[in-house]
PDB file of all heavy atoms in Angstrom:
ATOM      1  N   GLY A  19    -101.207 -54.698 242.573  1.00  0.00           N
ATOM      2  CA  GLY A  19    -101.409 -53.453 241.830  1.00  0.00           C
ATOM      3  C   GLY A  19    -100.088 -52.762 241.525  1.00  0.00           C
ATOM      4  O   GLY A  19     -99.861 -52.276 240.421  1.00  0.00           O
ATOM      5  N   ALA A  20     -99.202 -52.726 242.522  1.00  0.00           N
ATOM      6  CA  ALA A  20     -97.894 -52.092 242.318  1.00  0.00           C
ATOM      7  C   ALA A  20     -97.054 -52.878 241.320  1.00  0.00           C
ATOM      8  O   ALA A  20     -96.364 -52.307 240.474  1.00  0.00           O
ATOM      9  CB  ALA A  20     -97.159 -51.966 243.648  1.00  0.00           C
ATOM     10  N   VAL A  21     -97.133 -54.219 241.386  1.00  0.00           N
ATOM     11  CA  VAL A  21     -96.384 -55.058 240.443  1.00  0.00           C
ATOM     12  C   VAL A  21     -96.916 -54.857 239.026  1.00  0.00           C
ATOM     13  O   VAL A  21     -96.145 -54.722 238.069  1.00  0.00           O
ATOM     14  CB  VAL A  21     -96.460 -56.549 240.858  1.00  0.00           C
ATOM     15  CG1 VAL A  21     -95.854 -57.427 239.788  1.00  0.00           C
ATOM     16  CG2 VAL A  21     -95.753 -56.754 242.179  1.00  0.00           C
ATOM     17  N   ALA A  22     -98.240 -54.808 238.877  1.00  0.00           N
ATOM     18  CA  ALA A  22     -98.832 -54.606 237.554  1.00  0.00           C
ATOM     19  C   ALA A  22     -98.457 -53.237 236.993  1.00  0.00           C
ATOM     20  O   ALA A  22     -98.150 -53.095 235.809  1.00  0.00           O
ATOM     21  CB  ALA A  22    -100.347 -54.754 237.628  1.00  0.00           C
ATOM     22  N   LYS A  23     -98.468 -52.212 237.855  1.00  0.00           N
ATOM     23  CA  LYS A  23     -98.111 -50.863 237.406  1.00  0.00           C
ATOM     24  C   LYS A  23     -96.647 -50.829 236.967  1.00  0.00           C
ATOM     25  O   LYS A  23     -96.298 -50.252 235.943  1.00  0.00           O
ATOM     26  CB  LYS A  23     -98.347 -49.873 238.542  1.00  0.00           C
ATOM     27  CG  LYS A  23     -98.171 -48.422 238.127  1.00  0.00           C
ATOM     28  CD  LYS A  23     -98.304 -47.481 239.310  1.00  0.00           C
ATOM     29  CE  LYS A  23     -99.774 -47.201 239.556  1.00  0.00           C
ATOM     30  NZ  LYS A  23     -99.960 -46.160 240.599  1.00  0.00           N
ATOM     31  N   ARG A  24     -95.784 -51.480 237.742  1.00  0.00           N
ATOM     32  CA  ARG A  24     -94.353 -51.528 237.408  1.00  0.00           C
ATOM     33  C   ARG A  24     -94.141 -52.293 236.105  1.00  0.00           C
ATOM     34  O   ARG A  24     -93.318 -51.908 235.279  1.00  0.00           O
ATOM     35  CB  ARG A  24     -93.603 -52.193 238.567  1.00  0.00           C
ATOM     36  CG  ARG A  24     -92.129 -52.092 238.479  1.00  0.00           C
ATOM     37  CD  ARG A  24     -91.683 -50.699 238.849  1.00  0.00           C
ATOM     38  NE  ARG A  24     -90.240 -50.717 238.973  1.00  0.00           N
ATOM     39  CZ  ARG A  24     -89.503 -49.657 238.982  1.00  0.00           C
ATOM     40  NH1 ARG A  24     -90.052 -48.479 238.908  1.00  0.00           N
ATOM     41  NH2 ARG A  24     -88.217 -49.743 239.084  1.00  0.00           N
ATOM     42  N   HIS A  25     -94.892 -53.385 235.904  1.00  0.00           N
ATOM     43  CA  HIS A  25     -94.773 -54.166 234.673  1.00  0.00           C
ATOM     44  C   HIS A  25     -95.208 -53.343 233.463  1.00  0.00           C
ATOM     45  O   HIS A  25     -94.589 -53.389 232.410  1.00  0.00           O
ATOM     46  CB  HIS A  25     -95.613 -55.445 234.776  1.00  0.00           C
ATOM     47  CG  HIS A  25     -95.602 -56.252 233.524  1.00  0.00           C
ATOM     48  ND1 HIS A  25     -94.478 -56.909 233.087  1.00  0.00           N
ATOM     49  CD2 HIS A  25     -96.561 -56.474 232.591  1.00  0.00           C
ATOM     50  CE1 HIS A  25     -94.749 -57.521 231.941  1.00  0.00           C
ATOM     51  NE2 HIS A  25     -96.002 -57.262 231.623  1.00  0.00           N
ATOM     52  N   LYS A  26     -96.302 -52.564 233.623  1.00  0.00           N
ATOM     53  CA  LYS A  26     -96.771 -51.718 232.528  1.00  0.00           C
ATOM     54  C   LYS A  26     -95.719 -50.662 232.197  1.00  0.00           C
ATOM     55  O   LYS A  26     -95.434 -50.395 231.031  1.00  0.00           O
ATOM     56  CB  LYS A  26     -98.096 -51.055 232.919  1.00  0.00           C
ATOM     57  CG  LYS A  26     -98.739 -50.292 231.802  1.00  0.00           C
ATOM     58  CD  LYS A  26    -100.090 -49.765 232.226  1.00  0.00           C
ATOM     59  CE  LYS A  26    -100.749 -49.016 231.082  1.00  0.00           C
ATOM     60  NZ  LYS A  26    -102.031 -48.450 231.477  1.00  0.00           N
ATOM     61  N   TRP A  27     -95.109 -50.063 233.222  1.00  0.00           N
ATOM     62  CA  TRP A  27     -94.045 -49.082 233.016  1.00  0.00           C
ATOM     63  C   TRP A  27     -92.877 -49.708 232.268  1.00  0.00           C
ATOM     64  O   TRP A  27     -92.337 -49.128 231.328  1.00  0.00           O
ATOM     65  CB  TRP A  27     -93.587 -48.546 234.368  1.00  0.00           C
ATOM     66  CG  TRP A  27     -92.385 -47.664 234.290  1.00  0.00           C
ATOM     67  CD1 TRP A  27     -92.352 -46.331 234.022  1.00  0.00           C
ATOM     68  CD2 TRP A  27     -91.024 -48.060 234.466  1.00  0.00           C
ATOM     69  NE1 TRP A  27     -91.068 -45.869 234.023  1.00  0.00           N
ATOM     70  CE2 TRP A  27     -90.231 -46.910 234.294  1.00  0.00           C
ATOM     71  CE3 TRP A  27     -90.403 -49.273 234.748  1.00  0.00           C
ATOM     72  CZ2 TRP A  27     -88.846 -46.941 234.401  1.00  0.00           C
ATOM     73  CZ3 TRP A  27     -89.025 -49.298 234.851  1.00  0.00           C
ATOM     74  CH2 TRP A  27     -88.266 -48.138 234.674  1.00  0.00           C
ATOM     75  N   LEU A  28     -92.509 -50.927 232.673  1.00  0.00           N
ATOM     76  CA  LEU A  28     -91.390 -51.619 232.038  1.00  0.00           C
ATOM     77  C   LEU A  28     -91.691 -51.928 230.584  1.00  0.00           C
ATOM     78  O   LEU A  28     -90.858 -51.717 229.706  1.00  0.00           O
ATOM     79  CB  LEU A  28     -91.062 -52.910 232.804  1.00  0.00           C
ATOM     80  CG  LEU A  28     -89.891 -53.719 232.264  1.00  0.00           C
ATOM     81  CD1 LEU A  28     -88.607 -52.932 232.435  1.00  0.00           C
ATOM     82  CD2 LEU A  28     -89.795 -55.048 232.965  1.00  0.00           C
ATOM     83  N   SER A  29     -92.903 -52.396 230.284  1.00  0.00           N
ATOM     84  CA  SER A  29     -93.228 -52.728 228.901  1.00  0.00           C
ATOM     85  C   SER A  29     -93.274 -51.481 228.025  1.00  0.00           C
ATOM     86  O   SER A  29     -92.842 -51.500 226.883  1.00  0.00           O
ATOM     87  CB  SER A  29     -94.547 -53.494 228.820  1.00  0.00           C
ATOM     88  OG  SER A  29     -95.608 -52.686 229.252  1.00  0.00           O
ATOM     89  N   LEU A  30     -93.775 -50.362 228.549  1.00  0.00           N
ATOM     90  CA  LEU A  30     -93.782 -49.115 227.776  1.00  0.00           C
ATOM     91  C   LEU A  30     -92.354 -48.640 227.507  1.00  0.00           C
ATOM     92  O   LEU A  30     -92.014 -48.254 226.395  1.00  0.00           O
ATOM     93  CB  LEU A  30     -94.556 -48.034 228.522  1.00  0.00           C
ATOM     94  CG  LEU A  30     -96.071 -48.122 228.489  1.00  0.00           C
ATOM     95  CD1 LEU A  30     -96.676 -47.069 229.393  1.00  0.00           C
ATOM     96  CD2 LEU A  30     -96.588 -47.967 227.074  1.00  0.00           C
TER      97      LEU A  30
END
Side-chain angles (χ1 to χ4, degrees):
V21 172
K23 187 185 277 187
R24 190 76 170 164
H25 177 69
K26 187 175 181 182
W27 173 85
L28 181 66
S29 64
L30 283 174

